[in-house]
Amino acid sequence: MADFGISAGQFVAVVWDKSSPVEALKGLVDKLQALTGNEGRVSVENIKQLLQSAHKESSFDIILSGLVPGSTTLHSAEILAEIARILRPGGCLFLKEPVETAVDNNSKVKTASKLCSALTLSGLVEVKELQREPLTPEEVQSVREHLGHESDNLLFVQITGKKPNFEVGSSRQLKLSITKKSSPSVKPAVDPAAAKLWTLSANDMEDDSMHLWPCRRTGKREVKGTDELPTQVSLWKLLPGRCLPLCQLPLPWDASLQTWGKGASE
């Protein structure tokens, strides 16, 4: 019994069916009560009545099903789902069931792999097979009488599964670390007088006094009309007796700019 990890104060359920010998069931319950002590509790449930039981969810630490010596219990998907419901988060199921060693799709007796899959589909985790053992002649006869199944390829398999450490449908608020977006940078205020000076209108572009000259920047000087490859274009306004520079526009490097040179048109 120590293999099931049962200790004082735990709530344990024993699931049995009509194939379970009465004396064997009573002997198992007595041993469990001695292990759980006065602070624990041992409940006995017939597998046919389990779905109608009044047990609330998360009621038991450990559930033993089909483990009464001599039992030949089969577990349906509905029974496994109910067992998973009444188990406490982190609680364990220990199950014993006769299985076929050969695949037979028409048999209601499952294979060991299908039984493990059924426990997983019920919502249990860490499902694993603990041991296998052959059936005694009395157990073979019990399978024939109670299950109406006859086969030479039967074994008993003991499997365990664990309920996850949370209840189905539970929720928890997640703490997300979100970097606070920085405020958009504020553009500096523009002097209205400067804006007016550097703003061109459609009339300005049609003004004959407006000219573009390619130039090459040399130190702090700008040489207009240079024969060398220009690096800027300067916008000038021709006034009586003088030229007023308005702005300089940088030119990106491009092979087509090599047309600027001696003899090139403005």
Side-chain angles (χ1 to χ4, degrees):
M1 199 62 58
D3 294 341
F4 300 132
I6 298 174
S7 59
Q10 288 187 319
F11 284 41
V12 180
V14 178
V15 180
W16 62 282
D17 71 350
K18 61 182 180 180
S19 68
S20 304
V22 176
E23 290 300 321
L25 175 60
K26 184 179 182 302
L28 175 60
V29 172
D30 290 342
K31 292 178 181 179
L32 293 175
Q33 288 176 336
L35 290 172
T36 56
N38 295 330
E39 296 180 358
R41 188 181 72 192
V42 178
S43 299
V44 180
E45 290 290 344
N46 186 290
I47 196 169
K48 297 295 185 181
Q49 303 299 321
L50 186 61
L51 296 177
Q52 288 76 40
S53 67
H55 296 300
K56 297 181 180 179
E57 62 183 21
S58 304
S59 296
F60 298 100
D61 299 293
I62 294 177
I63 296 178
L64 307 179
S65 184
L67 284 163
V68 178
S71 297
T72 55
T73 306
L74 294 183
H75 300 81
S76 65
E78 292 78 13
I79 291 297
L80 293 176
E82 178 65 11
I83 288 175
R85 185 186 73 85
I86 62 178
L87 267 176
R88 289 178 176 172
C92 292
L93 164 66
F94 292 92
L95 172 151
K96 186 178 179 182
E97 183 173 316
V99 296
E100 281 278 2
T101 57
V103 177
D104 185 357
N105 295 327
N106 297 321
S107 175
K108 60 182 177 181
V109 178
K110 299 180 282 291
T111 61
S113 61
K114 287 186 177 181
L115 182 56
C116 288
S117 298
L119 265 70
T120 302
L121 290 174
S122 71
L124 301 182
V125 297
E126 300 180 24
V127 176
K128 59 183 177 180
E129 184 179 321
L130 297 178
Q131 65 181 34
R132 295 187 179 195
E133 58 186 49
L135 277 68
T136 65
E138 292 78 14
E139 290 168 339
V140 172
Q141 183 62 30
S142 179
V143 170
R144 291 173 181 172
E145 292 179 2
H146 297 100
L147 302 180
H149 183 78
E150 187 171 351
S151 174
D152 296 328
N153 302 312
L154 292 176
L155 285 175
F156 266 127
V157 63
Q158 186 174 314
I159 297 175
T160 184
K162 182 179 179 181
K163 186 169 182 175
N165 292 320
F166 54 84
E167 194 57 73
V168 175
S170 61
S171 62
R172 183 178 181 183
Q173 185 177 3
L174 298 179
K175 295 182 179 180
L176 301 179
S177 177
I178 302 177
T179 304
K180 186 177 180 181
K181 294 183 178 180
S182 58
S183 301
S185 57
V186 180
K187 295 183 178 179
V190 178
D191 184 359
K196 183 177 181 180
L197 176 62
W198 291 98
T199 301
L200 296 178
S201 65
N203 294 331
D204 292 329
M205 298 307 297
E206 294 179 359
D207 191 345
D208 292 338
S209 65
M210 304 294 293
H211 289 270
L212 287 173
W213 277 297
C215 61
R216 181 174 179 81
R217 192 172 184 86
T218 305
K220 294 184 179 181
R221 297 176 60 248
E222 295 175 357
V223 183
K224 296 184 294 181
T226 177
D227 292 341
E228 299 182 24
L229 190 63
T231 59
Q232 294 187 4
V233 171
S234 297
L235 180 63
W236 296 73
K237 184 175 181 64
L238 300 181
L239 298 177
R242 65 190 182 94
C243 290
L244 176 65
L246 296 182
C247 65
Q248 292 82 35
L249 303 177
L251 288 176
W253 171 257
D254 192 277
S256 62
L257 297 178
Q258 295 186 12
T259 56
W260 291 99
K262 186 180 294 185
S265 61
E266 180 179 335

